[in-house]
Amino acid sequence: EAGVAQSPRYKIIEKRQSVAFWCNPISGHATLYWYQQILGQGPKLLIQFQNNGVVDDSQLPKDRFSAERLKGVDSTLKIQPAKLEDSAVYLCASSRTAYNEQFFGPGTRLTVL
Amino acid sequence: SQKIEQNSEALNIQEGKTATLTCNYTNYSPAYLQWYRQDPGRGPVFLLLIRENEKEKRKERLKVTFDTTLKQSLFHITASQPADSATYLCALDNRDDKIIFGKGTRLHILP
């Protein structure tokens, strides 16, 4: 089966600019996750979707970050405006349900200058 | 406060030996715990899941133990190979469908 697809793979922006990331999960996976991984740290959950609905967005900085999952399939994560501390790898993952193993995409490396 | 702690320093193991990685947690009561492998520039890859009522799980050269009394999971790689060099992440649920990851342990298998 095809894996989790993410784009772009790399993005460099100036602070205060906007950026959007796209994720296409594995077909049939109900749960989709967005993580932020700073160098040397483990992935930090930003938002978790179950089909169209949000299960957890407690660690999403809602003043600047937003995410949506279109028709329970693809998802986009947006940052507006970006700050220097947003420089990180943004990982998308999907799983059949919330209790199953997660399949990760390759990530998008964001650099904010 | 809630914490997940993995070996903070990199672990260097001689090829052929058993590598043992530790995951300790406080103020969580996970129903299950997962281990992932992450190579540089890539997303994590799932390795094993162990539930709270399981003491041990094996998959080929990998073994995971889960001690809910000690609040600890151990991850073993037997007959280690240089190709096993990577960062290993433990992740646990918080009984509410949410997964929390540790910082990971960098493992180097020396030829």
Side-chain angles (χ1 to χ4, degrees), chain B:
Chain B
S1 63
Q2 296 176 315
K3 285 194 297 186
I4 303 173
E5 293 181 324
Q6 297 190 243
N7 307 61
S8 57
E9 302 296 325
L11 197 59
N12 295 320
I13 299 293
Q14 204 65 42
E15 182 178 5
K17 302 291 186 185
T18 296
T20 299
L21 284 65
T22 304
C23 178
N24 295 303
Y25 58 92
T26 53
N27 293 321
Y28 287 110
S29 296
Y32 60 89
L33 193 145
Q34 301 179 17
W35 284 89
Y36 289 79
R37 169 184 173 141
Q38 188 172 26
D39 291 285
R42 294 177 176 259
V45 174
F46 172 80
L47 297 174
L48 282 167
L49 181 152
I50 187 166
R51 303 189 188 282
E52 61 177 336
N53 60 347
E54 297 174 315
K55 294 293 186 187
E56 181 179 299
K57 205 82 169 277
R58 290 177 185 258
K59 178 182 175 183
E60 297 172 352
R61 294 184 296 111
L62 309 180
K63 184 178 85 170
V64 172
T65 62
F66 192 8
D67 189 325
T68 55
T69 302
L70 291 179
K71 296 186 183 296
Q72 179 182 78
S73 175
L74 298 178
F75 177 80
H76 306 272
I77 305 175
T78 58
S80 58
Q81 304 165 2
D84 296 325
S85 298
T87 295
Y88 290 85
L89 300 159
C90 76
L92 53 80
D93 78 300
N94 200 21
R95 294 191 179 274
D96 53 4
D97 292 351
K98 301 170 191 175
I99 295 283
I100 301 101
F101 279 83
K103 291 184 178 181
T105 298
R106 282 182 295 121
L107 176 66
H108 300 293
I109 304 301
L110 308 173

Side-chain angles (χ1 to χ4, degrees), chain A residues 5 22 40 48 57 75 87 89 92 96 98:
Chain A
W22 173 82
Q48 178 179 337
D57 62 358
S75 178
S87 293
V89 174
C92 178
R96 292 187 199 282

